Amino acid sequence: MSADTVTAACPAFDAADTTAPVTSVGEPLPVLGSEVTVPLVTGGNVGYAALDYAASAPALQRVWDDVAAYAPYYGSVHRGAGYLSQLSTELFEQARATVTEFLGCRPDDQLVFTRSTTDSLNLLAAALPEGCHVYVFETEHHASLLPWTAHTVHYLDAPRSPEQAVATLREALAARPDRTPALVCVTGASNVTGELWPVRELAAVAHESNARIVLDAAQLAPHHPVDVAALDVDWVAFSGHKLYAPFGSGVLAGRADWLRAAEPYLAGGGASRKVARRADGGVEVEWHLTAARHEAGSPNVIGAYAIASACKALTEAGFATLVARENHLIDKVRTGLADVPEVRVLSLFGEAAPRVGVLSFVVEGWNSSHFAAALSAEYGIGVRDGLFCAHPLLRTLLGAEDEAPGECGAPEAAPGERALNAVRVSFGAGTPDEHVDRFVDAVRELVRDGARWNYRTEDGRCVPDRGAGDRGAAATAEA
């Protein structure tokens, strides 16, 4: 089936489509949920300010529309003779080509569709050669910190500058046994501080020592262009749900040799080229050498298609425009928080370090869970609180903070660790100025005036106490 036939049947997937409206400079991209309103404990409703993009970004309206346009043509992939099966197969493989181009992959690279960044890195971990040494900074998200335990893992201390990160890795690699296969795993942008890491320089150090490097681009790809060849990384991994696509899809792309040599990540249909009974009663299997080797089962066609749609949408919007707008929002947040002395923004590399739209902070006199709950219940602002699946990094950044006296937080935590949490605000291509302005104003008001409602701990979370009600009204009644 030709690409022209696919386009005619499903116009949403026109690889050369330039008819989509170009978003004006300074405007957010349309996303799902932008019209959602939420109730406030103090009364009334307000438009929801989604400022938790680092966990899951809202789907772009463009992506959702493309998926809806494809849905009637849904069919089985790779093994169907029917029209819809062939159409879906073509769409799936076109999606692979689109994402490959988006990532700037080399001609001989493979791109495997997975479920998420976590799934991608666990797949790579299963493909590492025997005796491989893995080098990973303690600053990594758990998705890139934890999958390597079947191998020899070297956990590197948190660096305090990009230069120190490069020097630390060079020293660690120099000490490894000669000719031992090695893999370096590094984030492109921290999911805690948002700070950009020196990926190109770390890749150069890895290759100087005959090691390979995988880039966790979960937080980088939605904000900045990722070019595998230009960065000279061996693999890259990211998740669709952080790239403005729905949940359930991810990507691992890069060098094919270790992937081809490894046992399939999942054994089953699609991964096998030939299966036959042996004379001894067993089964002999010949596995694919293509990406299909690690895509057993019926693939998530809609997920792959959605990622491709998001890649196209971001490319058409232009990363230069997206980065300029995001930097504008970052400046608003940083300037606003700097005006509140009780707020301390967390950082590894210093205040001037370039970053994506992710900032974490603590507030003097507040447990972070309490502060995040008040932002949600009283202002309709959704942020994240806790340790952000990066526990070692948060412990390093927070150190021995004083016990937070907030009225609710983490009572199940050990004494001395109840303040080991922070608030994270994160935003991106779909964030309007009003959401950021409301957030900054809310932080100022909460620090200055305190919460207007009473809160309690329920199942480890700080939630509004519906029985206690409005703190101000209660105080007036008592007077």
Side-chain angles (χ1 to χ4, degrees), residues 25-111:
V25 174
E27 293 182 0
L29 299 183
V31 294
L32 294 182
S34 59
E35 304 299 324
V36 168
T37 62
V38 294
L40 303 179
V41 292
T42 51
N45 293 272
V46 67
Y48 183 63
L51 296 178
D52 192 17
Y53 275 47
S56 289
L60 288 171
Q61 185 67 52
R62 155 73 175 275
V63 173
W64 197 255
D65 291 345
D66 281 358
V67 167
Y70 162 63
Y73 301 93
Y74 186 83
S76 63
V77 178
H78 291 147
R79 296 177 291 280
Y83 180 85
L84 295 190
S85 291
Q86 292 187 43
L87 173 66
S88 294
T89 298
E90 186 74 10
L91 289 175
F92 185 66
E93 294 305 330
Q94 282 192 9
R96 195 190 309 276
T98 296
V99 181
T100 296
E101 181 180 3
F102 177 79
L103 293 173
C105 291
R106 298 159 294 244
D108 55 350
D109 283 340
Q110 279 190 358
L111 189 144

Side-chain angles (χ1 to χ4, degrees), residues 132-147:
C132 189
H133 285 234
V134 180
Y135 296 80
V136 57
F137 287 93
E138 67 173 356
T139 49
E140 293 291 310
H141 186 282
H142 293 173
S144 48
L145 186 75
L146 302 180

Side-chain angles (χ1 to χ4, degrees), residues 160 192-193 344-348 360-363 366-368 385-388 390-404 416-423:
R160 289 300 182 165
V192 175
T193 68
R344 179 168 74 89
V345 175
L346 304 181
S347 174
L348 275 173
S360 296
F361 61 95
V362 291
V363 185
W366 288 79
N367 183 283
S368 294
D385 66 276
L387 298 177
F388 318 129
H391 295 186
L393 173 55
L394 263 295
R395 291 175 187 277
T396 294
L397 292 173
L398 295 175
E401 291 283 335
D402 292 335
E403 196 77 10
E417 291 197 344
R418 290 175 187 165
L420 278 176
N421 58 2
V423 179

